[in-house]
C-alpha cells in the first residue's frame, strides 16, 4: 500500500521523524537530548550523510544534503538518499513518520518524500504466502512539515499515484492483461480521475481501415483495441489539443520474426507507452491542468499464429500509405503510425508519442536516457530537456535529418517498416514522422522502461519512466503558454 501524505503544522516530541539538513545543525524541533544531539553533530562532522538515532520511543533520521550538488542534481541526490534509507525506515515499522527540513532548499521535503514513495513501490499481488519482508510495513502516513502549499502536495500525491498505476500496468503479465483488459483498466482510470475514454473495438478498427494495427493483430487470438482518452478543461489555454500517442503492445514475441533467447524477456512491458499516456491523463485530470490533452492508444499483442502477418506483406495503412513489412518485429511503428495519422482529425498543435520502440535505443543510451527526436523546434526541445533534468528522466536528442528517411524506402511499397541495422532508433522515428501532419516529438523509452535491477528509486521491472517527464512538461507548457508562443 502506498503511504498517504499529509501536511502538518506542528510536531510532537514523541513522533518519529526524518529531518533533512543543509548544514551541520540540529534544529530544536527534533527534541533530542544533549547526548543525542552531540552524537548527531559528531556524525555529521564526520561527513556521515545519514544519522540514525533510536530513542526507544521514537526514531530520528537526519539526512544531510550532499555537499557540492546544487540545482536539479541536489534534488536527485535527495530522492536517492530517500531510496537509500527506505529499508531502515521499513524495518522500524512506523505507522506515521514526519518529514521535515532545516536550512536547506525549498522543496527538499517534497523531493525526499517523492524518492521515498517511488522506492517503496512493490508488485506483490500474486504472492499468496506472507514473507518476512512483506510483513513489515512502510509508514501508512507521511506527515510533511513546513512551508508546503496544498496544490504542490496534491500534485505530489497524484503524480506518485500515477507512477504506481503505470508500474502496476507494466508489471502485469500478458496472461492477466491482454489488449481488452488494458482498455478496461484505462476506462476505469478515466472514470475515477474524470477524463473521457472511448474504446474502439475490432469492428470499428476494421471499418476505419487501420491497416497497421490490424496487421499486427492478425496472429493473435485476442482482438485489438484503439482507445481515445480526452482531458478537456473548461477553459483550456490552447485552442488545438496536444495529442499523446502510446504504444500498447501488451506482449511482443516478435511475431513470425520471433525473438530468440533472452530477447523476449520483459516484453510484457511493451505497453509502457500506453500506460504512461494513461498516467499523464490521470494526473492532468486530477489536477485540472488547464490544457486540452488527447491520448491515443492502439493496443494488441504481437504473436506468430495461424494467420499472422508475414515478412514481405504489403499493408495499406489508415493514412492510405502502403508499407512493406521487412520484419514483423518492427510492429510498434505500425500501430503507432495509424494512431499518429488518426491524430490529424484533431488538428493538434503538437503530437508526442512515447514507445518502447527499438532495442537500438537501449544499446545507445543504456538505462539513463530517453531517446528524443523531433521536428517541432527548439522551444519544445529546450523545455523538454529542462523538465527532464528537473524530474531526472533525462532526454537526449538524436538527429532527425531527412537523409535517414532514405533508409526506409521500399521497391514495392511507399515505405518499408525497417531500415537495416544502422541508425535503427532514428529510422523508426522517421517512419513515424511520415504519418504526422502536425509537429512531432518522438520519445523512445526502450532503455529506461524496464530495469533488470533496482537503480535507487527506479525499481526492477517497470519504472514508469516518461510519466514524470511528460506531466511536468505539460504543466510548464500550460503555465508558460503565452510566453512560449
Ligand atoms: N519492443 C521492441 C523494442 C524493445 C527492445 C523494447 C528491447 C525494449 C527492450 C520492438 O518492437 C522491436 O522488437 N524492435 C526491433 C526492431 C527491429 C526489428 C528493426 C528491435 O529493436 O530489434
Ligand atoms: Mn518488436
Ligand atoms: Zn515491440
Amino acid at each position: 500500500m502506498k503511504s498517504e501524505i499529509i501536511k502538518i503544522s506542528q510536531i510532537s516530541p514523541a513522533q518519529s521523524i526524518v529531518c533533512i539538513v543543509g548544514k551541520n545543525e540540529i534544529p530544536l524541533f527534533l527534541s533530542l537530548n544533549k547526548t543525542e544531539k552531540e552524537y548527531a553533530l559528531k556524525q555529521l562532522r564526520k561527513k556521515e550523510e545519514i544519522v540514525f538515532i533510536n530513542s526507544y520511543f521514537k526514531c530520528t533520521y537526519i539526512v544531510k544534503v550532499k555537499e557540492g550538488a546544487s540545482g536539479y542534481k541536489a534534488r536527485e541526490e535527495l530522492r536517492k538518499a530517500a531510496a537509500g534509507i527506505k529499508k531502515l525506515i521499513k524495518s522500524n515499522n512506523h505507522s506515521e513518520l514526519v518529514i521535515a527540513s532545516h536550512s536547506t532548499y525549498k522543496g527538499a521535503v517534497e523531493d525526499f518524500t517523492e524518492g521515498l514513495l517511488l522506492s517503496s513501490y512493490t508488485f506483490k499481488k500474486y504472492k499468496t504466502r506472507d514473507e518476512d519482508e512483506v510483513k513489515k510495513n512502510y509508514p501508512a502516513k507521511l506527515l510533511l512539515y513546513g512551508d508546503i502549499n496544498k496544490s504542490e502536495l496534491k500534485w505530489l500525491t497524484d503524480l506518485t499515484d500515477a507512477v504506481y498505476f503505470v508500474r502496476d500496468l507494466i508489471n502485469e503479465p500478458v496472461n492477466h492483461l491482454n489488449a481488452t483488459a488494458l482498455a478496461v483498466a484505462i476506462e476505469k482510470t478515466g472514470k475515477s480521475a474524470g477524463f473521457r475514454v472511448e474504446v474502439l473495438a475490432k469492428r470499428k478498427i476494421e471499418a476505419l481501415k487501420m491497416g497497421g494495427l490490424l496487421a499486427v493483430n492478425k496472429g493473435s487470438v485476442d482482438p485489438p483495441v484503439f482507445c481515445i482518452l480526452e482531458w478537456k478543461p473548461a477553459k483550456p489555454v490552447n485552442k488545438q489539443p496536444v495529442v499523446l500517442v502510446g504504444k500498447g503492445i501488451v506482449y511482443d514475441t516478435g511475431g513470425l520474426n520471433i525473438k530468440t533467447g533472452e530477447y523476449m524477456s520483459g516484453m510484457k512491458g511493451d505497453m509502457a507507452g500506453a500506460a504512461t499516456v494513461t498516467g499523464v491523463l490521470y494526473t492532468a485530470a486530477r489536477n485540472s491542468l488547464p490544457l486540452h490533452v488527447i491520448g491515443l492508444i492502439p493496443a494488441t499483442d504481437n504473436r506468430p499464429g495461424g494467420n499472422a502477418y508475414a515478412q514481405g506483406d504489403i499493408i495499406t495503412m489508415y493514412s492510405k500509405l502502403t508499407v512493406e513489412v521487412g520484419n514483423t518485429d518492427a510492429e510498434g511503428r505500425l500501430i503507432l503510425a495509424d494512431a499518429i495519422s488518426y491524430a490529424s482529425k484533431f488538428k493538434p498543435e503538437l503530437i508526442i508519442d512515447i514507445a518502447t520502440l527499438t532495442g537500438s535505443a537501449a544499446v545507445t543510451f543504456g538505462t539513463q536516457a530517453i531517446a528524443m527526436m523531433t521536428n517541432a523546434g527548439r522551444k519544445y526541445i529546450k523545455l523538454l530537456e529542462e523538465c527532464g533534468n528537473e524530474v531526472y528522466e533525462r532526454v537526449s536528442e538524436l538527429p532527425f535529418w531527412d537523409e535517414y528517411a532514405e533508409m526506409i524506402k521500399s521497391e514495392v511499397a511507399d515505405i518499408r517498416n525497417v531500415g537495416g541495422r544502422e541508425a535503427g532508433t532514428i529510422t523508426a522515428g522517421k517512419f513515424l514522422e511520415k504519418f504526422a501532419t502536425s509537429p512531432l516529438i518522438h520519445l523512445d523509452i526502450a532503455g529506461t522502461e524496464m530495469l533488470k535491477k533496482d537503480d535507487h528509486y527506479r525499481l526492477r521491472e517497470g519504472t514508469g519512466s516518461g510519466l514524470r517527464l511528460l506531466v511536468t512538461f505539460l504543466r510548464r507548457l500550460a503555465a508558460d503558454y503565452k510566453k512560449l508562443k
Side-chain angles (χ1 to χ4, degrees):
M1 269 293 274
K2 184 169 168 258
S3 313
E4 194 186 343
I5 50 181
I6 298 163
K7 178 181 150 79
I8 55 165
S9 46
Q10 240 176 356
I11 305 173
S12 101
Q15 275 170 316
S16 286
I17 182 166
V18 173
C19 182
I20 303 140
V21 297
K23 295 184 188 145
N24 294 347
E25 284 173 9
I26 307 300
L28 273 179
F29 64 71
L30 286 185
S31 315
L32 295 177
N33 67 33
K34 195 160 163 262
T35 343
E36 289 169 336
K37 212 180 256 176
E38 275 165 12
Y39 166 75
L41 280 171
K42 200 173 99 202
Q43 296 301 99
L44 285 174
R45 286 197 204 102
K46 277 202 299 198
K47 301 225 181 298
E48 286 295 333
E49 280 162 9
I50 287 162
V51 183
F52 175 59
I53 297 164
N54 190 336
S55 321
Y56 184 59
F57 60 95
K58 72 155 174 178
C59 295
T60 305
Y61 308 79
I62 299 169
V63 179
K64 176 87 186 278
V65 176
K66 245 209 178 89
E67 276 170 38
S70 66
Y72 72 84
K73 291 214 165 123
R75 300 186 57 188
E76 178 64 2
E77 288 302 333
L78 206 45
R79 292 186 198 104
K80 285 190 191 164
I85 58 167
K86 69 146 192 209
K87 278 212 175 94
L88 180 61
I89 291 175
K90 189 175 176 183
S91 72
N92 288 317
N93 243 330
H94 306 292
S95 57
E96 300 184 344
L97 182 66
V98 178
I99 300 175
S101 71
H102 173 72
S103 48
T104 180
Y105 67 88
K106 188 172 155 41
V109 167
E110 290 98 311
D111 288 339
F112 183 90
T113 306
E114 181 177 49
L116 192 61
L117 288 171
L118 295 185
S119 58
S120 306
Y121 170 86
T122 55
F123 185 74
K124 300 273 192 238
K125 66 187 270 205
Y126 297 109
K127 275 200 167 288
T128 62
R129 305 280 183 274
D130 268 2
E131 284 164 28
D132 285 353
E133 207 236 336
V134 180
K135 276 186 216 143
K136 298 250 169 175
N137 288 312
Y138 290 111
K141 288 179 184 160
L142 299 176
L143 310 174
L144 277 48
Y145 176 72
D147 170 26
I148 299 155
N149 78 37
K150 269 220 171 104
S151 76
E152 285 303 321
L153 199 67
K154 177 156 170 45
W155 178 260
L156 184 59
T157 304
D158 294 332
L159 184 57
T160 47
D161 278 349
V163 175
Y164 273 47
F165 162 81
V166 172
R167 288 181 180 177
D168 276 348
L169 273 186
I170 297 173
N171 292 339
E172 205 59 77
V174 66
N175 69 327
H176 289 274
L177 192 91
N178 62 11
T180 305
L182 177 65
V184 170
I186 294 170
E187 279 178 320
K188 214 175 111 193
T189 310
K191 274 215 183 81
S192 79
F195 62 84
R196 198 181 66 84
V197 178
E198 186 186 354
V199 178
L200 310 185
K202 185 171 182 184
R203 225 178 285 159
K204 182 76 192 181
I205 296 168
E206 284 168 341
L208 288 170
K209 300 198 168 74
M210 292 189 166
L213 179 55
L214 289 165
V216 176
N217 180 253
K218 274 176 78 184
S220 175
V221 295
D222 292 332
V225 295
F226 188 92
C227 308
I228 304 160
L229 296 64
E230 183 176 32
W231 165 245
K232 191 171 189 184
K235 282 189 190 138
V237 292
N238 54 337
K239 280 213 182 69
Q240 302 308 128
V242 173
V243 173
L244 305 174
V245 179
K247 174 174 172 181
I249 294 291
V250 287
Y251 199 83
D252 184 11
T253 67
L256 284 173
N257 292 112
I258 200 157
K259 289 183 185 291
T260 54
E262 266 305 287
Y263 287 110
M264 211 185 290
S265 84
M267 284 305 143
K268 66 173 183 181
D270 213 17
M271 34 54 73
T276 305
V277 167
T278 311
V280 173
L281 270 282
Y282 173 90
T283 318
R286 296 275 303 177
N287 284 272
S288 309
L289 193 77
L291 200 69
H292 183 195
V293 186
I294 290 173
L296 300 176
I297 295 174
T300 173
D301 50 342
N302 179 28
R303 289 189 201 245
N307 198 28
Y309 80 131
Q311 204 168 331
D313 279 1
I314 297 171
I315 306 166
T316 301
M317 303 289 282
Y318 175 72
S319 75
K320 298 285 179 282
L321 269 184
T322 56
V323 175
E324 177 195 357
V325 177
N327 192 315
T328 62
D329 200 6
E331 83 297 339
R333 63 200 75 179
L334 296 174
I335 71 166
L336 289 167
D338 278 350
I340 289 172
S341 342
Y342 189 80
S344 301
K345 168 177 155 152
F346 306 106
K347 300 194 168 45
E349 116 173 55
L350 176 66
I351 303 173
I352 307 176
D353 81 272
I354 179 157
T356 43
L357 204 61
T358 63
S360 153
V363 171
T364 307
F365 293 117
T367 59
Q368 291 303 324
I370 295 173
M372 182 248 295
M373 286 137 270
T374 185
N375 56 22
R378 295 301 334 161
K379 64 174 184 189
Y380 289 125
I381 299 173
K382 192 167 160 277
L383 187 60
L384 207 56
E385 284 174 345
E386 261 174 48
C387 294
N389 290 342
E390 207 178 295
V391 301
Y392 227 66
E393 294 186 341
R394 291 165 296 172
V395 298
S396 183
E397 194 186 1
L398 287 172
F400 213 36
W401 303 323
D402 282 335
E403 285 78 358
Y404 287 106
E406 310 205 346
M407 296 170 72
I408 49 170
K409 281 193 167 151
S410 165
E411 295 289 330
V412 290
D414 298 332
I415 42 172
R416 237 169 97 85
N417 76 333
V418 286
R421 276 177 57 81
E422 291 165 1
T425 302
I426 304 173
T427 52
K430 282 314 239 188
F431 182 91
L432 298 180
E433 192 190 27
K434 298 258 180 220
F435 297 86
T437 54
S438 299
L440 175 72
I441 298 175
H442 165 52
L443 301 174
D444 192 333
I445 52 173
T448 56
E449 201 42 68
M450 270 270 190
L451 299 186
K452 293 205 171 68
K453 55 181 198 323
D454 292 354
D455 173 25
H456 304 280
Y457 60 89
R458 294 195 307 158
L459 306 178
R460 210 187 130 255
E461 295 232 291
T463 59
S465 98
L467 174 75
R468 289 163 59 246
L469 169 71
L470 283 178
V471 289
T472 308
F473 174 79
L474 293 179
R475 185 156 80 148
R476 280 281 299 277
L477 192 64
D480 299 348
Y481 195 76
K482 291 219 170 75
K483 238 184 351 194
L484 281 161
K485 280 273 131 175

